[in-house]
Amino acid sequence: MRIDISDYYTPSEWQLFHAEAKKHETPFLLVNLDIVRKNYLDLVKFFPFAKVYFAVKSNPAKEVLEVLRDLGANFDIASRYEMDKLLSLGVTPDRLSYGNTIKKAADIRYCYEKGIRLFATDSEYDLRNIAREAPGSKVFCRILTEGSETADWPLSRKFGCHPDMAIDLIMLSRELGLQPYGVSFHVGSQQREIGAWDSAIAKVRYICDYLADEGIKLKLINMGGGFPADYISKTNDMTVYAEEITRYLKEDFGEDLPEIILEPGRSLVGNSGVLVSEVVLISQKSSTGVDRWLYLDVGKFNGLTETWDESIKYPLYSEARGEPCEDFIIAGPTCDSQDVMYEYFRNPLPAYIKPGDRVYWFTCGAYTTSYASVEFNGFPPLKTYFVSEKK
Ligand SMILES: *Cc1c(COP(=O)(O)O)cnc(C)c1O
């Protein structure tokens, strides 16, 4: 079955994308800034007690950052470069959190000198670097979480430490003259199992109780990202996430909640973007082969990195006429045999689609342009154009 546009966009949103798409040569990403704005305002409404730090890596376009800046958002940065970009847009350093646990001592110093005072950590070496290069700063410790099987893009094994180690690090941070501030976790991106937050929050409760006995009162829970965007596999609505997660927090912390931080990336920008591509070639590998290969002018190396292991299943739409649909193998344009987006997962497209026809990839506002390679096979990085009803 072909996908239904109305499952993803309102008629006026689609019209706006479509009219703008006609003006440009493929491939490119279109981002609707009104959708980013709406996603942010919804999130703030659903989590009135939380501070939102946008995960810049998911879409670092200046236009996106400006919209969120003007709405009062804070930002989760992963490098000095993201910090410099935000400072140049007039965001003050008190609105930034250095959330990457992997950083050079020189970069900690650089960010400290520019005014950053909130840092994540998950190891003793990094913590000692923070104490030396960013003295007196607030630190939060990232813990490991479960949930990597139910997240479409897991993040939890590389980052974080065991809760017992987090306790040791937080106690050490006090000895080192830092401010032991809180605990963070990330349950994995595009997390379909809301219960993943429940077990993570329970671990934070355990850490808080243990540290309270040591005379340390933690002030912050940073619940990371992981909230979903609409791809092929359905997820619960954000309202359900918000209700459930709020309930877990109240069960474990009562009405006296610590400061709560959310760091959404995907859920704020994912559905704001449509990636527009064109069919380059359709071919078969033998005269009796049953599969047809459809090659597009976008692939894993110019925007579709998250099709890695077919993890993120983007909805594809084509205007080519008619039924029947066919399950093509879908691949990108570069000379790398890894540049195949979907071979096992089949995304039906009209059987009569032909070279030159356009294929629209929905929900591409997150983790596309920021992953695109610079010059692989000479293909330029993916361009972005912006649309908005507000002028
Ligand atoms: C990537 C990342 C996020 C954003 O995650 P989403 O699943 O896109 O919301 C938030 N916090 C940290 C520390 C991250 O690394």
Side-chain angles (χ1 to χ4, degrees):
M1 249 207 355
R2 294 170 74 158
I3 69 143
D4 191 345
I5 299 173
S6 66
D7 284 343
Y8 297 91
Y9 300 109
T10 66
S12 63
E13 284 166 354
W14 177 245
Q15 227 173 7
L16 196 60
F17 278 131
H18 199 252
E20 183 68 24
K22 282 190 190 148
K23 300 181 195 162
H24 307 286
E25 250 181 70
T26 63
F28 55 89
L29 177 71
L30 289 178
V31 168
N32 182 332
L33 296 170
D34 302 337
I35 298 179
V36 176
R37 199 175 286 118
K38 178 179 185 308
N39 289 340
Y40 177 82
L41 293 173
D42 279 349
L43 191 73
V44 171
K45 188 167 73 198
F46 300 151
F47 288 98
F49 51 84
K51 275 173 89 175
V52 175
Y53 283 66
F54 174 58
V56 174
K57 71 175 188 277
S58 63
N59 192 327
K62 178 172 137 298
E63 290 79 354
V64 169
L65 300 177
E66 284 170 343
V67 162
L68 293 168
R69 173 198 67 194
D70 294 346
L71 290 169
N74 305 287
F75 298 88
D76 169 48
I77 56 168
S79 68
R80 56 191 278 183
Y81 310 103
E82 287 183 346
M83 179 195 71
D84 281 338
K85 187 168 190 177
L86 286 155
L87 297 183
S88 77
L89 295 176
V91 178
T92 49
D94 56 309
R95 289 166 69 180
L96 307 183
S97 161
Y98 200 136
N100 195 345
T101 57
I102 300 157
K103 47 196 174 300
K104 296 179 180 173
D107 291 354
I108 298 171
R109 166 63 59 176
Y110 181 86
C111 291
Y112 177 76
E113 283 170 356
K114 299 272 168 125
I116 306 295
R117 293 292 180 272
L118 183 61
F119 293 87
T121 194
D122 63 3
S123 68
E124 183 175 337
Y125 186 80
D126 179 60
L127 182 64
R128 289 185 183 278
N129 280 344
I130 298 171
R132 194 177 58 247
E133 309 295 343
S137 291
K138 296 172 179 169
V139 286
F140 55 92
C141 187
R142 180 155 168 185
I143 55 169
L144 288 166
T145 56
E146 286 115 44
S148 53
E149 283 82 42
T150 49
D152 290 336
W153 196 262
L155 286 169
S156 19
R157 214 166 56 81
K158 175 170 170 186
F159 306 98
C161 60
H162 189 281
D164 291 336
M165 181 178 266
I167 288 170
D168 291 343
L169 291 175
I170 292 168
M171 294 197 334
L172 178 61
S173 72
R174 179 174 61 178
E175 279 170 43
L176 294 172
L178 294 162
Q179 294 182 52
Y181 204 62
V183 178
S184 74
F185 58 80
H186 193 304
V187 294
S189 199
Q190 189 72 7
Q191 176 58 263
R192 285 173 281 106
E193 177 59 52
I194 306 180
W197 276 269
D198 194 12
S199 41
I201 290 167
K203 286 181 182 164
V204 178
R205 176 77 251 186
Y206 159 78
I207 294 169
C208 286
D209 288 345
Y210 192 101
L211 288 170
D213 291 344
E214 300 289 333
I216 297 177
K217 182 162 166 51
L218 292 180
K219 298 188 186 66
L220 169 78
I221 308 177
N222 177 339
M223 300 202 293
F227 306 107
D230 279 332
Y231 299 106
I232 289 282
S233 325
K234 285 288 154 207
T235 57
N236 280 296
D237 287 342
M238 261 317 284
T239 50
V240 181
Y241 278 77
E243 273 167 32
E244 290 293 296
I245 293 168
T246 303
R247 189 166 63 77
Y248 304 145
L249 280 171
K250 298 236 158 116
E251 275 170 12
D252 276 323
F253 288 89
E255 293 302 319
D256 182 26
L257 284 183
E259 180 182 334
I260 303 289
I261 282 181
L262 303 176
E263 294 176 333
R266 191 183 301 283
S267 64
L268 284 195
V269 292
N271 72 335
S272 73
V274 171
L275 202 168
V276 186
S277 65
E278 185 182 295
V279 181
V280 178
L281 174 75
I282 298 174
S283 68
Q284 260 165 301
K285 300 293 173 193
S286 75
S287 58
T288 53
V290 281
D291 286 321
R292 288 207 294 165
W293 287 66
L294 185 143
Y295 300 91
L296 292 168
D297 58 2
V298 287
K300 273 209 182 110
F301 300 100
N302 54 349
L304 297 170
T305 308
E306 287 200 319
T307 57
W308 211 273
D309 289 337
E310 312 200 2
S311 302
I312 296 292
K313 297 179 176 63
Y314 295 100
L316 300 192
Y317 176 74
S318 152
E319 289 160 318
R321 237 173 5 108
E323 301 291 332
C325 279
E326 184 171 327
D327 293 336
F328 294 93
I329 296 173
I330 297 177
T334 66
C335 302
D336 187 310
S337 61
Q338 286 296 325
D339 194 8
V340 177
M341 285 80 86
Y342 300 122
E343 190 166 356
Y344 302 100
F345 167 68
R346 297 299 179 94
N347 214 318
L349 286 167
Y352 300 112
I353 192 169
K354 56 187 189 310
D357 287 345
R358 286 186 163 193
V359 173
Y360 300 85
W361 296 65
F362 290 176
T363 319
C364 273
Y367 304 114
T368 49
T369 48
S370 52
Y371 271 138
S373 69
V374 177
E375 203 184 37
F376 186 49
N377 273 173
F379 291 107
L382 188 63
K383 285 200 242 11
T384 310
Y385 302 103
F386 299 89
V387 296
S388 168
E389 298 279 5
K390 286 201 187 170
K391 273 285 170 247

